[in-house]
Amino acid sequence: EVEMTSEANSQEPVLDDRAQRISSVVHDLRHCLHVLRMGLTLLKSNRIKEDEFLEICGTMEGEERRAAELVEELVAFARGQK
């Protein structure tokens, strides 16, 4: 019984680390989605100049790439690769 308790205690920090990592990735992913949503709102407004349009598109492209990386990180994490 002592070994089981010791083993359970040694696994708690691992679970906490995993939960913290997942929470961090989800937070970053939500940020990306927020930026994309705001960009779409601005683009739909039809009140932006061409240079602003290009800047917004560039920002959205960067956030899309970051979101894709985060999704891949979650998939790898779920598979136990990270």
Side-chain angles (χ1 to χ4, degrees):
E1 185 174 340
V2 172
E3 289 180 38
M4 289 177 62
T5 303
S6 175
E7 183 178 324
N9 288 339
S10 69
Q11 289 180 355
E12 284 181 26
V14 172
L15 293 177
D16 287 340
D17 289 344
R18 289 175 57 96
Q20 287 176 355
R21 183 66 190 138
I22 289 171
S23 178
S24 175
V25 171
V26 168
H27 172 80
D28 291 350
L29 188 54
R30 283 185 177 150
H31 173 79
C32 291
L33 293 173
H34 176 74
V35 172
L36 291 170
R37 189 177 312 116
M38 293 302 297
L40 288 171
T41 300
L42 287 169
L43 293 176
K44 286 182 186 180
S45 74
N46 291 325
R47 296 181 184 168
I48 56 173
K49 300 173 188 167
E50 185 177 349
D51 59 330
E52 292 171 329
F53 175 85
L54 295 174
E55 183 179 347
I56 292 167
C57 287
T59 299
M60 291 176 68
E61 286 174 342
E63 290 300 317
E64 181 276 330
R65 282 191 297 274
R66 177 70 180 135
E69 291 170 0
L70 290 167
V71 168
E72 289 301 316
E73 191 172 335
L74 283 174
V75 168
F77 191 77
R79 292 181 179 158
Q81 297 173 354
K82 286 192 174 190

